[in-house]
């Protein structure tokens, strides 16, 4: 069977921990979208591994697959694999021949476009990994696929077509001279050909490429367990998220079929687990109706709740809501339940995993944005445009707080040991989203996740 793990909010919900907790019976972990924008930390046998592309299961001896819906930077892929091997692991990672390759010019153009957009407040705050420009080229039918790297003739043809266009964009549209770049080879056909042909040779030598759909179908036919590991979250999905502050792929469950080549029926017959952080956090600009406090440079001028700055700081500190690379404070807010209803509908959640319940412990009162008010009407789900979402006023519902307890002991004892008021919070979510809670995270470690029911 399959289990699909999907972020139900804005990313950073703690999906990796749940992949880990439910991962023991899994044979294959496949990513279906995104690329090396998905920073995740995996703790295995006491060692910590920081990855951005390789599926987390590959650290634990599972086969990791990067599906056709992914965009793959071969430089990052080999850097991560070499790093894991240097530390004594033997990761088995396969890459779909239909996946698109990120080239150096994609990264350069990602950075330039964000700079230009920031003058208009349109910057999505991208990770700068070239994700958007690579998906643009995929949709524009001028991309370079992983399979193309295996065939030097095809690779050269593709580069000869596309690179002059990229160069013209850089020079004629953005007015930047290639020779002024840190890596002028990023726009040079011969240099790119050599670099990417070599990547292709290594992919072939290590027998890493697969026809993804066929590969996974074969495994499923053999009775193996497959987990689809979503990256990012539903509200930054290109179709269902808060456009334009989104990533350029489909983290939603439909992406698991399109992005790997198994049928929607296969995904639908399995389980789809929505990962929920017990509050909201967000990196980047744009509206956030339940925001507490504000973060300079990210909260819109009339947004946030500056009067709740202390509460925001408390949640931010308890939850460690600071960028892993930049150390920048993340924006935080109360749980946005219309956002979750939207996610439950778009993904068809069959179960939930609620993380970071411990972060809210010790507060007298815990609120949720139960609904929105927009133009005198109450909305229970997200409006279709981000501008309307920005006009929504959150309608809050209040819960009695729960005490800070010995969460490790609670995790040891199980669900019934969770403080009563926190259980009321979880049960409210089950009712609103019409899906049972399968797991509850009460601390960062694997042993601090309470498994109520395993999807396998
Ligand atoms: P991109 O995916 O680098 O193009 O970035 C587009 C938007 O998605 C930005 O707002 C990023 O902050 C956000 N984003 C991308 N990956 C992640 C993630 O793994 N967690 C949270 N936000 C992300």
């Amino acid at each position: 069977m399959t289990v699909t793990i999907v972020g139900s909010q804005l990313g950073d919900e703690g999906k990796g921990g749940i992949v880990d907790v439910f991962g023991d019976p899994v044979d294959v972990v496949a990513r279906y979208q995104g690329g090396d924008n998905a920073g995740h930390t995996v703790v295995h046998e006491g060692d910590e591994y920081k990855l951005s592309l390789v599926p987390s299961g590959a650290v634990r001896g599972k086969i990791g697959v990067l599906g056709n819906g992914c965009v793959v930077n071969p430089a990052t892929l080999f850097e991560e694999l070499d790093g894991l091997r240097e530390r004594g692991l033997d990761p088995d990672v396969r890459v779909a021949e239909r996946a698109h390759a990120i080239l150096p010019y994609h990264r350069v153009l990602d950075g330039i476009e964000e700079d230009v957009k920031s003058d208009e407040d349109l910057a999505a705050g991208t990770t700068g990994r070239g994700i958007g420009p690579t998906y643009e080229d995929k949709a524009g039918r001028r991309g370079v696929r992983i399979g193309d790297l295996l065939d030097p003739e095809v690779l050269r043809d593709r580069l000869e077509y596309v690179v002059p266009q990229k160069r013209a964009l850089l020079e004629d549209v953005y007015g930047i001279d290639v020779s002024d770049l840190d890596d002028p080879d990023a726009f040079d056909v011969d240099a790119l050909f050599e670099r990417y042909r070599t990547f292709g040779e290594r992919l072939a030598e290590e027998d890493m490429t697969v026809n993804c759909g066929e590969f996974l179908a074969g495994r499923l036919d053999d009775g193996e367990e497959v987990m689809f590991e979503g990256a990012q979250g539903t509200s930054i999905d290109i179709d269902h998220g808060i456009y334009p502050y989104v990533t350029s792929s489909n983290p939603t469950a439909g992406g698991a079929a399109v992005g790997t080549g198994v049928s929607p029926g296969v995904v639908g017959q399995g389980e789809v687990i929505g990962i929920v952080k017990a509050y909201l956090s967000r990196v980047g600009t744009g509206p956030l109706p339940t925001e507490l406090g504000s973060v300079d440079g990210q909260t819109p001028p009339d947004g946030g709740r500056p009067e709740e700055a202390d509460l925001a700081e408390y949640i931010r500190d308890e939850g460690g809501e600071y960028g892993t690379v930049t150390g920048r404070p993340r924006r935080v807010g109360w749980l946005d339940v219309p956002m979750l209803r939207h996610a439950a509908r778009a993904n068809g959640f069959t179960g939930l995993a609620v993380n970071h319940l411990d972060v809210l412990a010790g507060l007298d009162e815990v609120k949720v944005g139960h609904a929105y008010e927009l133009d005198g009407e109450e909305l229970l789900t997200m409006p279709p445009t981000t501008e309307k979402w920005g006009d929504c006023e959150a309608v809050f519902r209040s819960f009695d707080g729960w005490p800070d307890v010995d969460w490790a002991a609670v995790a040891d004892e199980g669900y019934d040991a969770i403080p009563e008021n926190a259980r009321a919070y979880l049960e409210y979510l089950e009712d609103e989203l019409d899906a049972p809670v399968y797991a509850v995270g009460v601390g960062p470690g694997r042993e601090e996740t309470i498994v109520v029911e395993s999807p396998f």
Side-chain angles (χ1 to χ4, degrees):
M1 71 171 286
T2 69
V3 170
T4 304
I5 301 289
V6 181
S8 64
Q9 293 152 316
L10 296 147
D12 304 323
E13 299 94 349
K15 294 176 288 292
I18 301 300
V19 170
D20 177 21
V21 165
F22 290 145
D24 280 342
V26 170
D27 301 290
V28 181
V29 179
R31 284 193 54 188
Y32 53 89
Q33 44 72 230
D36 55 349
N37 51 347
H40 45 282
T41 304
V42 188
V43 181
H44 179 56
E45 292 175 352
D47 291 324
E48 200 175 90
Y49 301 89
K50 286 198 182 300
L51 300 171
S52 60
L53 178 62
V54 166
S56 49
V59 173
R60 300 174 204 289
K62 318 287 179 191
I63 296 179
V65 176
L66 296 169
N68 54 275
C70 294
V71 286
V72 178
N73 187 329
T76 313
L77 176 65
F78 289 127
E79 203 176 291
E80 292 189 356
L81 290 177
D82 291 343
L84 293 174
R85 285 185 186 137
E86 271 162 31
R87 294 176 65 181
L89 298 180
D90 184 21
D92 182 352
V93 174
R94 317 294 175 95
V95 190
E97 287 200 33
R98 293 174 198 266
H100 279 247
I102 298 180
L103 281 104
Y105 51 78
H106 291 125
R107 274 199 182 206
V108 173
L109 292 168
D110 193 358
I112 294 171
E113 185 154 6
E114 281 286 287
D115 275 353
V116 172
K117 279 183 165 178
S118 64
D119 296 339
E120 314 276 341
D121 276 345
L122 279 174
T126 73
T127 59
R129 302 293 167 95
I131 306 294
T134 307
Y135 280 113
E136 267 181 58
D137 280 354
K138 171 180 175 174
R141 297 172 296 234
R142 67 183 91 82
V144 177
R145 305 208 291 182
I146 291 297
D148 301 336
L149 309 188
L150 308 177
D151 186 334
E153 230 171 275
V154 175
L155 176 61
R156 185 168 269 285
D157 279 354
R158 297 264 187 273
L159 292 172
E160 278 177 359
Y161 175 73
V162 72
V163 175
Q165 289 187 21
K166 299 296 160 189
R167 209 180 171 109
L169 185 60
L170 182 81
E171 296 187 333
D172 303 342
V173 176
Y174 294 121
I176 294 171
D177 203 283
V178 171
S179 59
D180 290 338
L181 296 176
D182 291 341
D183 178 16
D185 283 353
F187 291 78
D188 183 278
V189 172
D190 291 333
L192 291 171
F193 175 73
E194 280 312 318
R195 223 188 278 178
Y196 276 68
R197 189 175 60 99
T198 311
F199 288 140
E201 282 169 2
R202 184 161 170 195
L203 287 167
E205 271 161 25
E206 298 191 20
D207 202 14
M208 288 175 68
T209 60
V210 287
N211 186 353
C212 187
E214 193 181 71
F215 178 79
L216 293 175
R219 296 276 165 169
L220 287 164
D221 283 348
D222 290 345
E224 294 194 357
E225 311 286 18
V226 173
M227 184 178 265
F228 295 118
E229 180 179 357
Q232 291 88 42
T234 301
S235 277
I236 54 172
D237 180 289
I238 183 109
D239 284 277
H240 304 290
I242 49 170
Y243 195 90
Y245 309 104
V246 292
T247 193
S248 299
S249 66
N250 291 117
T252 38
V258 177
T260 63
V262 303
S263 79
V266 168
V267 176
Q269 281 155 17
E271 298 251 12
V272 179
I273 317 282
I275 315 303
V276 179
K277 186 183 270 190
Y279 53 94
L280 208 57
S281 72
R282 164 146 171 71
V283 188
T285 54
L288 197 63
T290 62
E291 182 164 11
L292 292 167
S294 61
V295 172
D296 274 355
Q298 296 188 54
T299 305
D302 53 352
R305 288 180 178 71
E307 68 283 5
E308 303 274 25
D310 290 348
L311 183 55
E313 202 171 310
Y314 178 82
I315 294 175
R316 190 176 292 124
D317 287 346
E318 291 292 310
E321 297 295 348
Y322 294 88
T324 27
V325 180
T326 57
R328 276 194 320 175
R330 294 188 184 137
R331 298 165 70 187
V332 294
W334 292 124
L335 199 64
D336 186 321
V337 182
M339 177 188 282
L340 294 178
R341 290 189 196 99
H342 171 76
R345 193 208 61 251
N347 294 293
F349 292 149
T350 58
L352 305 171
V354 183
N355 279 324
H356 294 301
L357 195 68
D358 55 308
V359 169
L360 300 178
L363 298 174
D364 291 336
E365 180 189 33
V366 174
K367 291 191 193 176
V368 298
H370 174 79
Y372 306 134
E373 200 178 286
L374 178 67
D375 301 331
E377 263 186 62
E378 191 177 81
L379 300 186
L380 287 175
T381 187
M382 289 174 96
T385 72
T386 305
E387 291 68 26
K388 281 188 186 147
W389 191 52
D391 290 339
C392 286
E393 284 291 333
V395 180
F396 288 107
R397 195 172 270 198
S398 176
F399 289 79
D400 289 333
W402 48 89
D404 202 7
V405 293
D406 179 348
W407 292 104
V410 167
D412 225 26
E413 275 179 65
Y415 186 85
D416 291 341
I418 296 173
E420 192 181 345
N421 291 345
R423 273 185 283 133
Y425 190 75
L426 295 171
E427 282 149 26
Y428 160 80
L429 278 178
E430 290 184 319
D431 285 347
E432 293 300 322
L433 306 183
D434 198 20
V437 168
Y438 280 180
V440 186
V442 294
R446 182 182 183 153
E447 59 292 344
E448 288 154 314
T449 300
I450 300 163
V451 175
V452 184
E453 191 180 329
S454 169
F456 285 105

